[in-house]
Structures are given as C-alpha cells and as structure tokens.
C-alpha cells in the first residue's frame, strides 16, 4: 500500500481502549483484585504480537480512501483493529490450553503463568465478551452496527468449527493417518485461519466506510479466502523446508502429528513402503523417527510440489485481483498488499 499505519500510532490506541473495557467491569462493582486480574489478562494477551490482523484494518481504510484518514476514522478503524486482536487473544488463550502449549510470544502461555491455570478459560470468555461491549459503545450509532456485530459472531463461529475439526482429526496422543485427508485439511485451514486472519480485517474496513456492497464483499471473499489457504499451506511448507535461523523456531509439525499440507500430499503419493514408514514414524516425539518422515518427503520431491502449487495459486490470485472493478469502491491495492506480504516469504 502507498501508505501504511505506523505500529506506534496503532499501539497508542490500546491503553484507552483497555480503560474503556475495564470501565465496563467497574460498573458492576467488580472487586479490586478481580479488576487487577482482568487488567493483567488484557495486557498479557492482547498487545505484543505481530498485530498484522489489527493493523490491516486501518491499512485497508487508507487503501480504500486513497488519502490520509481523519483523526476519527483512524481512531475508529484502529479500535476495530484492536477488536480483531481481542478475538485473536480469545482464540490463542483457549488454543494454548487445548494444545498443552508451553510458550506464546516468548513468554509462558497465559494458563501456565503463576496462579492462572484453568482460570484462563474464563479469562478467554471475558476477552471475547469485551468485543461486543466496545462495539456497542463505539459503533451503535453507525448505520451498519449490526453488520459489525454479526461479522464478529460469524467469524468466531467459523474459527471454532475449524478448531474442532483440527482437534478431532489430529490429536497429538493418537496417530492415525487414515483420519487425515486433503478435504479435512482444506476445511481446517479455511475456517481456522483464513476467515479471521484475512477476510475479517478487510470486511470490517469496508463496513465501517460503508463500502460493503454484496459485490465488494464477494470479491474480497473470493480472493482472500484462497489467499488465506495459501498462507497456511506456505506455513506448513516452511515448518519443514524453511530455515530455522530465519523463521526463529524449529518446526514441530511432524512430531506433533499435525494434519499438515505436506503429510496429506505424502499420503496421496506414497508407495506401500513409504506409507509404512509414515505410519510408523509420523507423530512420534523422536528426532530419529522425524528424520525418516523428512526423508520420505524429500524422496517425493514435495519441495518442488509446493513450489509448483505456489506459482499456480499466485497466478490465479493475480488474475482475480486484476479483474476487480474499482468503480464500485473496492481498490485492487487492498488485495495486492496482502499478496505481496505473503508471496515467497521465508518466515
């Protein structure tokens, strides 16, 4: 995009928003210790990440208007951006408990922090509920207020559907490759990742700026959902073939029994001998077994399979973006920016 939001400007909106959220709790005379707990949960779980989803909301506003935002537009679009980060925080606090994860953003996961434990379940609920308190307070007079509310509700539902399918398809403690399929994989990545990470921020900006026509939303959906699928497939590829020094972590999908793009591609291509290796070694917490799976991936040339997929899907996305009718209020730049961030990324 020609202009992008400065992270520092976006971050400066959060303390005021947190005060508004805590103010709602104070209305019910929440005891001081509980109020302090909620404040700590907000600051531990909402800011501090990459903020890509949140920043995408004012960035989309800039690209749609093709001029600087007014102070009010920046404030309101940034608030909507922070609400996407609240939704993300709700998902992450819950997901970390379901997965038994150890760290998040370089710190112990919230449920593993001193004295938190299963209280984190209620903390996650409160993070989600805060979204609707702020929507009511900030946007009730907006002509499309109910569209904003319904978009958040639907996006949460879609993500929860994807999470459920992921949890029951690939439990970490029970390896059964017969339970995997490319159909299940595409459902998981579409609903668990693509809607809230890619479609939601752009749809929020379109709704706020009153450009959310049925045609514009459909074009955005038809480009950003495949782009979100591509992003997750790329993530799975980098987990195995990426450089840990660049990514900043060592991939764990094989040992964690993830229903990833690579294992589904391998299942489709495996000879009986290769399938026997995959069945015996995939999802085992053992570096030697992991190495056997990686060797099968290499024998199959899955790195080249991914590279061919990437060029094909990016070509299709560019064609769809080129066909966008900008006279209806949608700008190609919005969609080009998302693609530019993802294409050929290495981390």
């Amino acid at each position: 995009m020609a202009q992008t939001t400065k992270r520092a400007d976006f971050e400066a909106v959060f303390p005021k928003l947190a005060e508004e959220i805590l103010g709602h709790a104070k209305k019910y005379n929440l005891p001081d210790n509980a109020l302090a707990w909620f404040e700590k949960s907000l600051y531990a779980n909402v800011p501090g990440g990459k903020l890509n989803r949140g920043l995408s909301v004012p960035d989309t506003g800039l690209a749609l208007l093709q001029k600087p935002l007014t102070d009010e537009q920046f404030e309101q679009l940034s608030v909507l951006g922070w609400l996407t980060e609240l939704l993300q925080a709700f998902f992450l606090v819950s997901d970390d408990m379901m997965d038994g994860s150890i760290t998040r953003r370089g710190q112990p996961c919230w449920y593993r922090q001193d004295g938190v434990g299963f209280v984190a379940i209620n903390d996650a609920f409160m993070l989600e509920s805060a979204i609707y308190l702020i929507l009511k307070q900030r946007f009730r007079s907006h002509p499309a207020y109910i569209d904003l509310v319904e978009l958040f509700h639907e996006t949460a539902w879609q993500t929860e559907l994807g999470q459920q399918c992921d949890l029951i398809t690939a439990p970490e403690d029970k390896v059964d490759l017969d339970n995997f399929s490319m159909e299940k994989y595409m459902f998981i990545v579409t609903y668990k990742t693509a809607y809230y990470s890619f479609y939601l921020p752009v749809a929020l900006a379109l709704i706020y700026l009153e450009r959310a026509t049925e045609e514009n939303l459909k074009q955005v959906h038809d480009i950003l959902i495949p782009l979100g699928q591509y992003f997750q497939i790329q993530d799975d590829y980098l987990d195995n073939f990426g450089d840990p020094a660049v990514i900043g972590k060592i991939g764990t999908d094989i040992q964690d029994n993830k229903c990833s793009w690579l294992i589904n591609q391998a299942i489709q291509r495996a000879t009986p001998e290769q399938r026997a290796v995959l069945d015996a070694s995939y999802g085992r917490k053992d570096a030697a077994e992991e190495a056997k799976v990686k060797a099968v991936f290499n024998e199959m040339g899955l790195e080249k399979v991914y590279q061919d997929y990437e060029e094909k899907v990016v070509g299709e996305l560019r064609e769809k973006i080129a066909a966008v009718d900008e006279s209806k209020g949608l700008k190609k730049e919005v969609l080009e920016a998302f693609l530019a961030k993802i294409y050929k990324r290495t981390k």
Side-chain angles (χ1 to χ4, degrees):
M1 293 178 185
Q3 290 181 303
T4 55
T5 304
K6 292 179 181 176
R7 182 185 172 109
D9 292 342
F10 180 70
E11 288 179 319
V13 174
F14 183 73
K16 183 179 177 183
L17 187 65
E19 277 303 308
E20 286 183 34
I21 293 168
L22 294 167
H24 280 287
K26 290 176 185 175
K27 290 178 186 177
Y28 297 91
N29 299 314
L30 187 68
D32 288 346
N33 66 324
L35 193 68
W37 181 288
F38 186 26
E39 183 174 15
K40 184 178 179 183
S41 169
L42 276 172
Y43 277 91
N45 294 306
V46 184
K50 297 187 184 97
L51 304 182
N52 287 338
R53 295 167 184 83
L55 285 163
S56 292
V57 184
D59 278 354
T60 298
L62 279 165
L64 288 170
L65 294 175
Q66 299 284 295
K67 62 181 180 181
L69 302 172
T70 66
D71 289 346
E72 181 183 6
Q73 286 170 339
F74 175 76
E75 171 88 7
Q76 297 293 67
L77 286 166
S78 293
V79 167
L80 289 171
W82 278 113
L83 297 188
T84 68
E85 294 294 333
L86 272 166
L87 187 67
Q88 160 87 331
F90 161 56
F91 292 147
L92 295 185
V93 170
S94 308
D95 191 55
D96 285 343
M97 295 188 75
M98 288 181 254
D99 288 349
S101 298
I102 306 299
T103 60
R104 169 72 63 184
R105 297 171 179 167
Q107 300 292 324
C109 295
W110 177 243
Y111 81 99
R112 292 181 61 87
Q113 293 192 23
D114 190 37
V116 178
F118 287 124
V119 180
I121 296 172
N122 195 66
D123 294 335
F125 295 161
M126 292 176 73
L127 292 170
E128 185 193 26
S129 293
I131 294 168
Y132 301 101
L133 294 171
I134 295 300
L135 281 174
K136 183 178 179 181
Q137 182 162 311
R138 289 289 193 119
F139 299 97
R140 196 173 187 186
S141 62
H142 191 283
Y145 165 64
I146 196 62
D147 294 326
L148 293 170
V149 172
E150 289 182 349
L151 178 60
F152 272 103
H153 276 307
E154 185 173 16
T155 304
W157 169 243
Q158 289 164 329
T159 309
E160 288 152 9
L161 289 175
Q163 172 74 339
Q164 185 199 49
C165 189
D166 192 17
L167 289 168
I168 65 173
T169 299
E172 212 169 318
D173 57 349
K174 185 182 178 184
V175 181
D176 181 4
L177 298 187
D178 287 336
N179 204 24
F180 290 3
S181 70
M182 190 55 72
E183 182 182 17
K184 287 179 184 175
Y185 173 78
M186 292 306 295
F187 181 90
I188 292 166
V189 302
T190 300
Y191 287 93
K192 187 176 175 179
T193 300
Y195 275 100
Y196 94 95
S197 298
F198 292 89
Y199 179 73
L200 174 63
V202 175
L204 285 172
L206 283 167
I207 291 170
Y208 173 73
L209 293 172
E210 297 182 62
R211 297 191 182 191
T213 62
E214 186 176 341
E215 182 181 350
N216 283 347
L217 287 174
K218 184 177 188 309
Q219 286 191 93
V220 163
H221 176 278
D222 291 350
I223 292 168
L224 291 180
I225 296 306
L227 191 142
Q229 294 166 345
Y230 161 45
F231 173 83
Q232 186 58 55
I233 289 168
Q234 186 181 55
D235 221 46
D236 293 355
Y237 165 79
L238 290 172
D239 184 89
N240 187 77
F241 292 105
D243 182 350
V246 175
I247 298 170
K249 63 179 182 179
I250 296 170
T252 60
D253 284 0
I254 293 172
Q255 290 197 28
D256 291 346
N257 190 39
K258 292 293 185 183
C259 180
S260 77
W261 186 80
L262 291 172
I263 187 61
N264 279 290
Q265 290 293 324
I267 289 168
Q268 290 181 348
R269 292 169 165 76
T271 64
E273 293 77 17
Q274 289 171 327
R275 178 58 190 260
V277 173
L278 296 175
D279 284 328
S281 301
Y282 197 80
R284 304 317 195 266
K285 302 290 188 182
D286 183 297
E289 298 301 319
E290 179 187 44
K292 293 176 185 176
V293 175
K294 285 177 172 281
V296 172
F297 288 176
N298 290 334
E299 286 170 19
M300 294 178 173
L302 291 189
E303 187 164 15
K304 178 67 163 58
V305 173
Y306 167 77
Q307 290 165 352
D308 291 345
Y309 156 80
E310 181 173 51
E311 294 309 314
K312 178 176 181 291
V313 74
V314 169
E316 291 169 351
L317 287 167
R318 284 175 173 156
E319 286 180 11
K320 288 181 180 179
I321 293 170
V324 167
D325 182 356
E326 293 191 325
S327 68
K328 304 294 178 63
L330 183 59
K331 298 296 180 185
K332 295 175 185 178
E333 187 180 331
V334 172
L335 304 161
E336 288 167 347
F338 275 94
L339 182 56
K341 288 177 186 176
I342 295 168
Y343 181 51
K344 296 290 188 184
R345 72 184 173 103
T346 56
K347 63 180 180 178

